[in-house]
Amino acid sequence: MKRLAALLLAALMALAAVSAVAEDYTLEEKFYQQAFKESAYRGTVTLAVTGDSTALMGAAEWAALKSLAPRLNLSLEHATTANKDEGQATLTLSVDGQASARHTYMYDDKLIAFGGTLLGGDNVYYSAARTWNVAELMESALRSDNAWPPMWRVVAAVETAPKEWKDRAADRIAQYETKLGLWLNGYASFSTGRENNVAYSELSCRIPAQAVKAEIKQLMVDFYSDSELLTLLREVVTAQEAAAYLQPAMMNSLFAMLDNLALEGEVKVVRRYDAAGSALLDSVELPFAKNSVLSFLNISVTPGEGGQSWRFQGALNDGKEFDISCLGSEEMIYTGAVEIVLPEEEKAGFVVSDAAVGRRTIAFDYNLMWEPGEDVYTLSTDRFTRDIKGSLLIRPKSGSELPEQSLTLEAAMSSGSSKRSATQLNGSLTWRDMDSGASISAVLTSRTVSPFAYTAPSSLNGAMRLDLLAGDALSAVTQSWTQRAVSYFSTLLLGVNFTNLSTVAPR
């Protein structure tokens, strides 16, 4: 009996330990920590093309892609050192088992650096201050006004922040929501009406653009005095975004930019409620400055039994119009429609033409499903596993030459219960032409591995500092990258043999 009790106690202790492992971190968190914060990662992507044709591509191009795909292999790796803000990532494209193109990205606490086959060849590297990122360098080369990092990325960072951060920031953000609500009341008018046999009360606000500017300034004065909120925001935005928007010393510069903003028209806000006080509609229409990409944007939210229905309607300054709807549910199923109207002179193949109005339209319905899965522990193998699935189905509207298409993702994660156990991430992403049966698949096989040697950018000699170049010089560099890329891929598609890389990127 004592032996049985001891065995039972040992089993209970083992199960308790397993539970503690599960509570400490998820497979996703473990994978991210191992691959990008503490150790290293290696993966391989292979391609496969099936089917004889698709309406999205010419017959010759499809045949070339089908022939080339099985010859290609894409390998990726990343290495870092625990408790050090530095590392290196390398992406290598191989053709018939031989390295054909390799690109490397390196970073430490002061600099980033990158280089590769399409960026100048072996041993040619470019660097910049860590406060920049590669995407921002490219954006800087394409614009002439040296614009600040886009504000939408800051908003997106807040919206996608972890729940723990949102809980900590909720009280601070609520104060600004309250101030904004009180300000809106000063422009509010009330009315009643009936729609679809439902009586409603409507609050409507029409706010002149100049009043919007004045309120933004007042909120900025409060914002830059709120050290607690500034500190919280620095946790979720990039260093460059923090430097641009979260420094109190930048307030006067932002004031000047706001004064020079050629904003006209009104902001229109509408809120509807039924007799029980339940929301029927929330919408806001925003005007934009003349030099903006957008000319206007209307966002509306309509609650329903199946979930909230979102709609985004707007127009671009170049004449394009869009109308996007989305109905989401708690089961992570999203359905809706997309309609994009193009000026007739635009060349955008596979669209429905309307000669009567001189415009053409791309229109389709979609259905998106996402299954994030859950971590499951198997005692017999002492492993945690997680299956992730997602699918997107696109159904073109009547009259379109676009085929019905699907995009399917299947991924599996697994790791032992020990914190030191390697984590595997395998999966596939498949696009399919539902009409012809043609498909393109990418299959990933990867795992976290023990750390390996890498090069930090501060140790490179002769790297060109892109962040110190003037706009024209930076544009010339990026144009040379484009030319090299076009030449490389043209040669690749023509099936010409490549000279193997003569040197290996720094490790």
Side-chain angles (χ1 to χ4, degrees):
M1 178 67 74
K2 288 183 179 180
R3 178 167 182 159
L4 179 60
L7 288 172
L8 180 59
L9 179 60
L12 290 173
M13 291 177 65
L15 289 174
V18 167
S19 298
V21 169
E23 292 173 359
D24 284 344
Y25 48 80
T26 66
L27 275 173
E28 287 178 309
E29 293 168 340
K30 183 178 182 181
F31 172 78
Y32 176 79
Q33 196 70 16
Q34 290 179 338
F36 302 107
K37 292 294 184 181
E38 296 177 352
S39 189
Y41 166 81
R42 283 197 172 105
T44 300
V45 177
T46 55
L47 300 174
V49 177
T50 64
D52 296 327
S53 65
T54 173
L56 294 179
M57 189 179 295
E61 290 82 358
W62 181 257
L65 180 61
K66 187 176 180 179
S67 174
L68 181 61
R71 299 169 54 201
L72 302 180
N73 179 292
L74 192 66
S75 64
L76 50 153
E77 61 182 27
H78 174 266
T80 187
T81 301
N83 302 317
K84 279 192 175 183
D85 187 14
E86 63 178 35
Q88 175 183 309
T90 303
L91 185 67
T92 305
L93 175 66
S94 297
V95 180
D96 296 329
Q98 300 295 319
S100 176
R102 181 181 287 113
H103 294 85
T104 302
Y105 172 78
M106 295 162 277
Y107 62 94
D108 58 26
D109 59 344
K110 296 182 177 63
L111 296 171
I112 61 170
F114 51 91
T117 307
L118 306 186
L119 305 179
D122 296 331
N123 302 317
V124 177
Y125 292 95
Y126 304 88
S127 66
R130 178 67 184 271
T131 52
W132 286 37
N133 58 50
V134 176
E136 187 62 25
L137 288 173
M138 297 299 292
E139 290 174 12
S140 178
L142 297 175
R143 63 181 182 242
S144 59
D145 58 352
N146 293 319
W148 288 14
M151 175 61 78
W152 66 264
R153 291 208 306 222
V154 177
V155 176
V158 172
E159 288 296 318
T160 58
K163 182 179 182 299
E164 179 273 333
W165 183 90
K166 289 182 177 179
D167 291 341
R168 287 189 290 124
D171 289 342
R172 305 306 305 173
I173 293 176
Q175 295 183 29
Y176 294 87
E177 292 174 343
T178 300
K179 292 177 182 178
L180 196 57
L182 293 173
W183 173 70
L184 282 173
N185 285 339
Y187 294 90
S189 62
F190 295 89
S191 61
T192 59
R194 182 177 291 273
E195 186 175 275
N196 297 327
N197 205 33
V198 176
Y200 64 81
S201 299
E202 181 175 290
L203 180 150
S204 177
C205 301
R206 299 174 70 95
I207 310 165
Q210 294 306 312
V212 174
K213 286 186 177 183
E215 178 62 14
I216 291 175
K217 285 185 177 181
Q218 182 56 56
L219 290 174
M220 286 169 61
V221 170
D222 299 337
F223 173 73
Y224 283 116
S225 300
D226 193 340
S227 59
E228 183 177 346
L229 182 56
L230 291 172
T231 299
L232 284 166
L233 289 171
R234 290 188 185 102
E235 296 179 14
V236 295
V237 302
T238 67
Q240 186 175 15
E241 290 160 356
Y245 297 114
L246 304 183
Q247 300 298 330
M250 302 306 298
M251 184 175 69
N252 289 334
S253 297
L254 290 170
F255 274 13
M257 292 171 61
L258 193 59
D259 289 335
N260 293 328
L261 184 63
L263 187 64
E264 299 177 354
E266 297 176 317
V267 173
K268 302 173 185 177
V269 181
V270 174
R271 304 199 76 180
R272 285 183 183 175
Y273 301 89
D274 62 16
S278 300
L280 297 174
L281 171 69
D282 283 301
S283 74
V284 58
E285 183 173 315
L286 304 173
F288 289 85
K290 292 180 179 179
N291 59 345
S292 299
V293 174
L294 289 169
S295 61
F296 89 93
L297 175 66
N298 181 281
I299 304 172
S300 60
V301 184
T302 306
E305 294 183 0
Q308 285 192 327
S309 179
W310 289 75
R311 189 173 183 180
F312 303 85
Q313 297 169 284
L316 280 62
N317 274 321
D318 61 4
K320 299 183 182 73
E321 300 175 8
F322 59 88
D323 187 345
I324 303 171
S325 63
C326 178
L327 174 63
S329 69
E330 293 182 357
E331 291 77 22
M332 303 187 79
I333 299 175
Y334 306 91
T335 59
V338 175
E339 182 174 296
I340 302 173
V341 180
L342 304 169
E344 181 61 25
E345 61 270 15
E346 289 268 348
K347 292 183 178 180
F350 310 110
V351 297
V352 180
S353 295
D354 187 350
V357 296
R359 301 191 302 176
R360 298 187 293 179
T361 302
I362 300 174
F364 57 86
D365 296 322
Y366 69 87
N367 185 290
L368 173 64
M369 293 185 289
W370 181 250
E371 299 178 33
E374 296 181 354
D375 290 358
V376 177
Y377 179 72
T378 303
L379 184 62
S380 60
T381 59
D382 188 30
R383 293 189 70 81
F384 285 95
T385 58
R386 183 175 189 172
D387 293 326
I388 303 168
K389 296 180 180 179
S391 65
L392 172 65
L393 180 63
I394 296 175
R395 294 188 180 93
K397 295 290 183 67
S398 177
S400 173
E401 295 180 26
L402 282 166
E404 186 171 325
Q405 305 166 58
S406 69
L407 192 65
T408 305
L409 171 70
E410 295 185 352
M413 303 183 72
S414 65
S415 182
S417 62
S418 169
K419 189 174 183 179
R420 294 181 175 273
S421 297
T423 306
Q424 294 181 328
L425 172 60
N426 301 321
S428 65
L429 181 65
T430 301
W431 169 86
R432 188 177 301 279
D433 181 328
M434 305 298 287
D435 293 344
S436 70
S439 69
I440 302 174
S441 297
V443 178
L444 169 69
T445 303
S446 72
R447 62 181 293 138
T448 58
V449 296
S450 299
F452 52 83
Y454 58 85
T455 300
S458 297
S459 64
L460 291 174
N461 295 319
M464 180 184 294
R465 284 292 296 263
L466 294 179
D467 55 337
L468 302 182
L469 294 180
D472 290 343
L474 185 56
S475 179
V477 171
T478 57
Q479 287 176 14
S480 72
W481 297 346
T482 302
Q483 293 170 357
R484 290 181 66 93
V486 170
S487 176
Y488 174 85
F489 287 108
S490 297
T491 305
L492 183 63
L493 291 173
L494 288 172
V496 177
N497 291 328
F498 292 91
T499 302
N500 294 339
L501 296 177
S502 57
T503 58
V504 178
R507 294 286 294 273

